[in-house]
């Protein structure tokens, strides 16, 4: 690809930004094996200024994935291990009394970063979970009545395990809706798992990404140029109606007690535009909507208990809806 132009006729800055973001996949693959869809989802979330919920069993490199992304984008990252005794101030920060000046000063919490890894977010009580809501929605935290803006870019990547539910606090629907995407991190294939073990046998240290060869290949300037280009991506009235029809169909599904809200429809439109731009187009097609429907909508619906007992999943309901909603020509 020529870095000065692209096949959508966009500016040189946009073309350079896309080339840089495309290089992320190869760079992160130096540390994380076989998780290309998750890498793409995180990039889409950054382009849409959204947040990501990562779900997978322990040991599938969820933490390593976020650290590798931050390293390849040259962004600051912090990790918080969510536990039952974690307090809101442990996340947002608090006022600390300075004996030298006899005044209170604000001590920023780990939320003041570019990529916040909220590890096992469902292991902390709702009060602490909710401390992230303002940060995620307003991109600021308020301490002692004073709003304090967060750095830009800012993304929360929260993890939760689909097992070991004892002692956990399920995320309320209002908080789930604040996540742009829910990405499932699968167990690696046999080939990928052999690759992982071979790397470790050769001395790979997941705590030393620099030694693994991960280098910055993009930065905040590329993200800004990319976001500007995504904002110019054309959405036809037919595509808009298609997104609405998909979301409205979830509200009428007999398998669901809760369908996708208008906020979810807005999210699907945004992620479809970002994906269209990443794939080299300045307009959205139905395949873009289909590609992002599952990660954008799966956490915004709620199954009926009887459907869940019959083995129905959110993904299967959404796939059935995608198969039945007429596709615009």
């Amino acid at each position: 690809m020529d870095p000065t132009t692209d096949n959508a006729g966009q500016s040189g800055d946009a073309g350079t930004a896309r080339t840089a973001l495309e290089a992320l996949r190869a760079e992160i693959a130096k540390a994380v094996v076989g998780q290309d869809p998750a890498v793409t989802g995180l990039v889409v979330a950054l382009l849409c200024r959204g947040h990501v919920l990562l779900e997978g069993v322990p040991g599938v490199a969820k933490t390593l994935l976020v650290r590798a992304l931050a390293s390849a984008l040259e962004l600051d990252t912090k990790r918080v291990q969510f536990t039952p005794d974690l307090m809101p101030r442990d996340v947002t920060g608090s006022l600390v009394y300075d004996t030298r000046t006899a005044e209170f000063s604000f001590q920023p919490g780990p939320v003041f970063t570019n990529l916040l890894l909220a590890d096992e977010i469902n292991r902390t009580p709702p009060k602490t979970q909710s401390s992230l809501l303002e940060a995620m929605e307003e991109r600021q935290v308020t301490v002692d009545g004073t709003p304090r803006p967060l750095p830009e870019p800012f993304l929360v990547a929260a993890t939760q395990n689909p097992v070991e539910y004892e002692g956990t606090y399920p995320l309320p629907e209002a908080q789930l809706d604040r996540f742009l995407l829910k990405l499932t991190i699968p167990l690696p294939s046999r080939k990928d798992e052999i690759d992982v073990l071979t790397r470790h046998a050769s001395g790979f240290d997941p705590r030393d990404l620099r030694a693994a060869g991960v280098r910055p290949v993009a930065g905040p300037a590329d993200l800004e140029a990319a976001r500007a280009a995504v904002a110019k991506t054309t959405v036809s009235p037919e595509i808009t109606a298609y997104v609405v029809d998909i979301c409205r169909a979830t509200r009428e599904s007999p398998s669901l007690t809760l369908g996708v809200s208008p906020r979810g429809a807005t999210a699907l439109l945004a992620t479809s535009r970002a994906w269209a731009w990443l794939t080299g187009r300045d307009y959205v097609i139905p395949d873009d909507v289909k590609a992002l429907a599952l990660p954008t909508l799966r956490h915004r619906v709620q199954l009926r208990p009887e459907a869940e007992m019959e083995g129905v999943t959110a993904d299967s309901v959404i796939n059935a809806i995608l198969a039945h909603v007429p596709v615009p020509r």
Side-chain angles (χ1 to χ4, degrees):
M1 180 185 296
D2 182 352
T4 59
T5 60
D6 55 56
N7 61 2
Q10 295 173 353
S11 68
D13 285 347
T16 302
R18 185 191 288 119
T19 303
L21 293 177
E22 284 173 350
L24 280 176
R25 191 171 298 160
E27 201 64 23
I28 293 172
K30 295 177 182 179
V32 182
V33 178
Q35 297 294 357
D36 283 356
V39 174
T40 301
L42 286 165
V43 173
V44 166
L46 281 167
L47 292 178
C48 298
R49 292 182 169 86
H51 308 285
V52 175
L53 183 61
L54 301 170
E55 185 174 88
V57 298
V60 290
K62 298 186 293 293
T63 301
L64 181 59
L65 176 62
V66 175
R67 288 180 53 240
L69 176 68
S71 182
L73 278 172
E74 208 168 10
L75 297 176
D76 182 45
T77 182
K78 290 186 175 68
R79 175 180 176 273
V80 178
Q81 181 66 50
F82 279 69
T83 57
D85 60 348
L86 193 74
M87 300 296 290
R89 64 174 178 270
D90 297 327
V91 178
T92 61
S94 59
L95 295 177
V96 178
Y97 184 72
D98 189 336
T99 56
R100 292 172 300 178
T101 61
E103 293 180 350
F104 285 93
S105 61
F106 178 66
Q107 184 68 37
V111 75
F112 286 86
T113 187
N114 297 125
L115 269 66
L116 176 68
L117 178 62
D119 224 349
E120 296 189 288
I121 190 173
N122 57 332
R123 291 206 173 276
T124 201
K127 183 177 181 180
T128 305
Q129 290 179 10
S130 65
S131 68
L132 273 179
L133 281 178
E134 182 187 12
M136 293 169 67
E137 190 69 17
E138 306 296 334
R139 298 180 181 273
Q140 67 176 28
V141 296
T142 302
V143 178
D144 197 35
T146 303
R148 303 175 191 276
L150 296 171
E152 182 63 36
F154 173 68
L155 178 143
V156 173
T159 72
Q160 65 177 12
N161 298 329
V163 293
E164 297 179 359
Y165 284 118
E166 187 174 348
T168 63
Y169 302 83
L171 299 180
E173 284 74 20
Q175 186 168 1
L176 282 171
D177 208 31
R178 295 306 196 281
F179 287 100
L180 182 72
L181 300 172
K182 179 182 178 181
L183 305 175
T184 55
I185 311 296
L187 287 165
S189 65
R190 181 176 183 273
K191 177 180 177 296
D192 287 340
E193 195 164 2
I194 290 174
D195 192 3
V196 170
L197 267 63
T198 301
R199 292 186 182 194
H200 279 265
S202 301
F204 171 71
D205 183 357
R207 292 172 291 275
D208 190 354
L209 295 176
R210 185 71 59 178
V214 179
R215 299 288 185 271
V217 294
D222 295 306
L223 280 176
E224 278 306 307
R227 287 170 172 176
V230 169
K232 297 175 183 176
T233 302
T234 304
V235 182
S236 68
E238 292 78 13
I239 292 294
T240 302
Y242 182 51
V243 170
V244 168
D245 289 343
I246 290 171
C247 295
R248 291 182 68 85
T250 65
R251 302 169 202 162
E252 300 166 2
S253 170
S255 298
L256 302 176
T257 58
L258 178 69
V260 177
S261 69
R263 178 189 287 149
T266 302
L268 181 55
L269 186 64
T271 56
S272 300
R273 293 176 85 183
W275 176 243
W277 180 82
L278 278 172
T279 52
R281 279 176 282 101
D282 61 356
Y283 57 91
V284 180
I285 62 174
D287 283 349
D288 300 324
V289 179
K290 290 180 179 179
L292 272 297
L294 284 180
T296 307
L297 304 181
R298 59 164 58 110
H299 56 297
R300 303 175 193 271
V301 300
Q302 194 171 71
L303 289 167
R304 292 188 182 278
E306 55 269 29
E308 203 165 2
M309 291 176 63
E310 293 172 2
V312 176
T313 64
D315 283 13
S316 65
V317 172
I318 294 170
N319 278 326
I321 287 170
L322 291 174
H324 286 90
V325 171
V327 179
R329 301 296 178 188

